[in-house]
Amino acid sequence: MNVRSFQLSDYRPVTTLLEDVLSEECYEQTMEAFARQLSWDSELVLVAVEESEVVGMIIGTIDNNKGYYYRIAVHTEYQRQGIGKALIQALRQRFEQRNVSKILITADEHNEPVLPLYEAMGYASNDFFRSFQKLSIVAG
């Protein structure tokens, strides 16, 4: 498995993956944020590729010098194989290279099911960002 930056040729497989694993409401919100993040800084959108197939992706953003894990998705057939952890670790490296002041996990209602994954990787509840004030990639 290889984790790399999003490329334009990944657009269709990534949107299909998101449509398959996210609820309809979550998909619509994520697609808006995905488009904004691609236009602002595509280096913070990563994909996991297994034998030339996109099997996972993560969207990160930097807002007020803080790095945020916004959305992660792994194809159902590839879950529990370390792909999510690899995506999180790769994005963390990018945040650290950019010297962000803190790294947070967006803890909206759609991310609740994956919060245990972040906890298993050493993140604590004070690393979860729960706020009515939206991130720039969400609010526009």
Side-chain angles (χ1 to χ4, degrees), residues 61-68 95-104:
T61 193
I62 296 175
D63 207 334
N64 294 320
N65 199 40
K66 292 182 181 133
Y68 292 88
F95 287 149
E96 289 172 350
Q97 290 168 352
R98 307 257 185 118
N99 296 313
V100 299
S101 60
K102 186 160 178 62
I103 299 173
L104 297 165

Side-chain angles (χ1 to χ4, degrees), residues 16-59:
T16 300
L17 169 69
L18 292 173
E19 200 169 25
D20 289 347
V21 300
L22 303 178
S23 70
E24 188 175 333
E25 178 188 5
C26 182
Y27 173 78
E28 289 173 17
Q29 288 177 11
T30 301
M31 288 306 293
E32 289 179 29
F34 176 50
R36 280 191 198 96
Q37 188 58 41
L38 285 178
S39 70
W40 292 346
D41 188 350
S42 63
E43 291 295 309
L44 297 178
V45 178
L46 306 178
V47 295
V49 179
E50 182 76 48
E51 297 180 19
S52 74
E53 180 186 356
V54 173
V55 296
M57 66 91 63
I58 191 166
I59 301 169

Side-chain angles (χ1 to χ4, degrees), residues 77-107:
E77 293 176 20
Y78 290 87
Q79 291 176 2
R80 302 201 178 279
Q81 296 180 24
I83 293 169
K85 286 182 180 178
L87 286 163
I88 291 166
Q89 289 168 337
L91 187 53
R92 180 183 185 93
Q93 288 176 339
R94 298 206 179 189
F95 287 149
E96 289 172 350
Q97 290 168 352
R98 307 257 185 118
N99 296 313
V100 299
S101 60
K102 186 160 178 62
I103 299 173
L104 297 165
I105 298 101
T106 305

